[in-house]
């Protein structure tokens, strides 16, 4: 293999940038890394903006502090690597609510993404089915099996728990429905426990015990000044050449590596690389994989079949509104509202509290399969969100002095049961035929900043191994 290596990263979101940092740390000196970003903005769904003179997140707002095993999350490790650990801040208000029956009720404690480990604690919000979670003398799931979260919860706890607790929790994260989402992908710790435990209550408790959290230990963190600081620091630390407005339209194999076709059809640029890391959503990845010889068509089809949900984030700047002492609330789909979740930014994050009393409130709109609800103007979305927030809170909110609508089309992957096995098969096919071509990102490994960071880093390590080892 020639030296220095040339590695192309397609996609400048946090996955691709984390991969660039890992290559800078582990690849041999002189390795040339180029990040190709189709848009003019790095960071993907991490985007800090400004509203009414203050910072606000127009995409992801925070990251998990711990990984599923209880250790430091990949996001925290990256923040530490970039010298930003001293700027991590945590929510000052952690209690959230559910909008049910025309009012707000606190989300019960002791649940795992809404799935209860103590049925008595959730009865005030959702009455569990009586005696459905019986020990039938065998584990809930067979080895390697996967089911939808909704199917398992409905069978064990009944429809009320699924609709009023679990579905809104998953909807807030994935914009999807519990009846469609893979247990193994969205709740891997619970899936592992369900392959051992005989009841769902037992599985929840086992999953919680496997990753204990000290009382008062923060679950989430963000960066003072906004998550775009993470993007900027990663781009700088990676040392890669950053190519913005550089759409990679085609990927083909050469005798010594890869050739990327970059830029407009009428004036394409051909770039050679020794290895390629695709850190883009599944459908554009599938289009690039379609041009790769010796890759099974079914592998390409599997990648391209992954579906996505579209959402809009509507942020209102409200002058001295009467807000409850909550971080926000979730809305079950059964309530019939356009808003599926809301965050009281300046309440949840104490460092954002403003002396002028102006409050920033963000609402998430859009569920999988309901994209038609987003086909309205920004002004109409702002008006609908303001109206629904007032209804849920039971008091008319003041008119916003400023607002912002951020639309994320095709932003959130929808993982149906069997997703992890399908992704594993695709990656096995790639390793067998083209070990210097890797896939990374939310479309394959799950949503959330830590998962995306770890996905990018893992793909970078695989490329280093394929090219001949680390520094």
């Amino acid at each position: 293999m020639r030296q220095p290596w040339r590695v192309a990263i397609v996609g400048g979101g946090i996955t691709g940038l984390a991969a660039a940092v890992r290559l800078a740390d582990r690849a041999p000196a002189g390795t040339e890394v180029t990040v190709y970003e189709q848009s003019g903005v790095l960071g993907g769904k991490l985007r800090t903006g400004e509203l009414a003179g203050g910072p606000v997140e127009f995409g992801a707002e925070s990251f998990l502090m711990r990984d599923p095993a209880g250790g430091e999350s990949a996001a925290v490790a990256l923040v530490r690597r970039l010298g930003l650990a001293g700027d991590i801040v945590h929510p000052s208000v952690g209690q959230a609510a559910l909008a049910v029956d025309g009012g707000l009720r606190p989300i019960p404690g002791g649940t795992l993404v809404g799935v209860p480990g103590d049925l008595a604690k959730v009865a005030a919000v959702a009455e569990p089915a009586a005696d459905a979670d019986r020990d039938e003398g065998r584990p809930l799931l067979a080895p390697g099996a996967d089911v939808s979260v909704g199917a398992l919860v409905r069978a064990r706890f009944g429809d009320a728990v699924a609709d009023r607790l679990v579905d809104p929790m998953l909807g807030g994260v994935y914009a999807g429905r519990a009846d469609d989402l893979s247990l193994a992908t969205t709740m891997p710790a619970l899936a592992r426990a369900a392959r051992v435990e005989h009841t769902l209550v037992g599985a929840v408790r086992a999953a919680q015990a496997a990753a204990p959290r000290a009382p008062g230990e923060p679950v989430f963190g963000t960066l003072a000044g906004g998550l775009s600081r993470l993007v900027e620091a990663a781009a700088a630390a990676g040392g890669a050449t950053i190519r913005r407005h550089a759409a990679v339209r085609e990927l083909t194999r050469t005798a010594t590596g890869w050739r990327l076709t970059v830029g407009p059809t009428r004036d394409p640029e051909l770039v050679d690389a020794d290895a390629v890391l695709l850190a883009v959503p599944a459908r554009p990845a599938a289009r690039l994989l379609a041009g790769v010889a010796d890759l099974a068509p079914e592998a390409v089809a599997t990648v391209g079949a992954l579906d996505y949900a579209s959402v809009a984030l509507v942020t209102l700047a409200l002058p001295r509104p009467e807000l409850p002492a909550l971080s926000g609330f979730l809305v079950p789909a059964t309530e019939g509202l356009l808003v599926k979740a809301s965050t009281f930014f300046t309440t949840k994050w104490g460092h954002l509290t403003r002396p002028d009393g102006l409050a920033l409130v963000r609402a998430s709109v859009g569920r999988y399969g309901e994209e038609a609800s987003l086909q309205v103007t920004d002004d109409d979305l702002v008006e609908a969100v303001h109206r629904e927030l007032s209804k849920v809170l039971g008091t008319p909110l003041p008119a916003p002095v400023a607002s912002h609508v951020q639309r994320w089309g095709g932003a959130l992957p929808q993982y149906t049961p069997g997703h992890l096995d399908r992704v594993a098969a695709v990656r096995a096919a790639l390793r067998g035929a083209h070990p210097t071509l890797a896939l990374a990102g939310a479309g394959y490994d799950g949503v959330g900043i830590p998962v995306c960071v770890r996905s990018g880093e893992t793909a970078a390590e695989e490329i280093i191994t394929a090219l001949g080892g680390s520094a």
Side-chain angles (χ1 to χ4, degrees), residues 420-435:
L420 294 181
D421 288 342
R422 293 190 293 272
V423 169
V426 170
R427 283 177 164 153
L430 279 177
R431 291 188 193 103
H434 304 291

Side-chain angles (χ1 to χ4, degrees), residues 35-424:
V35 175
Y36 297 89
E37 170 53 42
Q38 181 172 351
S39 74
V41 183
L42 296 177
K45 308 304 182 296
L46 276 63
R47 186 173 303 177
T48 307
E50 184 178 296
L51 189 65
V56 64
E57 299 295 353
F58 293 153
E61 65 163 299
S62 62
F63 46 81
L64 286 166
M65 295 296 295
R66 295 288 171 185
D67 67 14
E72 186 177 76
S73 78
V76 174
L78 178 61
V79 167
R80 193 177 305 283
R81 157 68 179 82
L82 299 175
L84 298 174
D87 295 329
I88 295 177
V89 292
H90 306 291
S92 51
V93 175
Q95 179 65 61
L98 287 165
V100 292
D101 300 333
L104 291 176
R105 300 187 188 181
I107 294 177
T111 71
L112 188 65
V113 197
V115 185
D118 184 342
L119 297 182
K121 290 184 177 180
V122 305
V125 173
E127 185 67 34
D131 301 323
D133 192 31
R134 294 186 298 271
D135 185 341
E136 297 175 346
R138 62 179 183 276
L140 295 176
L141 289 183
D146 191 14
V147 296
S148 77
V149 178
L152 180 61
V153 173
R154 291 185 194 281
R156 288 281 159 169
F157 293 156
D159 292 341
V161 173
D163 291 336
R164 293 164 70 100
L165 266 173
V166 181
D167 200 59
M169 294 286 279
L170 289 172
V173 177
Y174 300 95
R177 303 304 300 270
D179 292 327
D180 301 324
L181 291 169
S182 154
L183 179 73
T185 307
T186 62
M187 302 175 69
L190 183 58
R192 287 193 296 271
R195 296 188 180 105
V196 177
E197 299 294 329
H198 294 193
T199 66
L200 188 49
V201 164
V204 171
R205 293 175 178 175
Q208 291 170 330
R213 181 168 58 91
E217 182 182 4
V219 177
F220 297 102
T222 192
L223 289 178
L227 288 173
S228 283
R229 293 185 60 208
L230 175 61
V231 174
E232 294 159 3
T241 300
I242 305 293
R243 297 280 305 275
R244 293 174 172 84
H245 301 292
V248 177
R249 294 190 294 102
E250 188 175 355
L251 179 66
T252 55
R253 196 78 172 96
T254 67
T256 57
W258 299 95
R259 177 159 294 159
L260 292 76
T261 303
V262 183
T265 305
R266 288 177 295 180
D267 188 23
E269 175 188 1
L270 301 180
V271 179
D272 288 335
D274 299 304
V276 177
L277 194 158
L278 299 181
V280 291
R283 287 173 183 170
R287 287 195 291 271
L288 293 175
L289 291 175
V292 176
D294 301 326
L295 184 60
E298 53 267 28
V300 178
T302 296
V303 173
L306 181 65
D307 212 355
Y308 287 74
S310 297
V311 297
L313 300 178
V314 181
T315 308
L316 309 178
L318 303 170
R320 299 189 182 278
E322 295 181 19
L323 298 176
L326 296 167
S327 61
F329 62 85
L330 299 170
V331 185
T334 51
E335 293 295 304
L337 298 180
L338 183 66
V339 171
K340 65 181 178 66
S342 181
T343 302
F344 306 151
F345 267 118
T346 41
T347 302
K348 179 178 180 179
W349 301 100
H351 70 287
L352 296 179
T353 301
R354 297 172 50 135
D356 60 5
L358 197 71
L360 298 179
V361 177
R362 189 175 83 174
S364 177
V365 175
R367 293 181 174 89
Y368 178 66
E370 300 177 7
E371 285 74 17
S373 65
L374 300 177
Q375 304 305 312
V376 297
T377 66
D378 287 359
D379 288 344
D380 286 341
L381 275 181
V382 168
E383 182 181 350
V385 164
H386 185 268
R387 181 176 62 251
E388 290 193 355
L389 292 179
S390 297
K391 177 181 178 181
V392 170
L393 295 173
T395 183
L397 289 172
V401 299
S403 63
H404 181 272
V405 177
Q406 180 69 51
R407 297 175 185 266
W408 294 109
L412 294 171
Q414 301 299 295
Y415 312 105
T416 55
H419 171 80
L420 294 181
D421 288 342
R422 293 190 293 272
V423 169

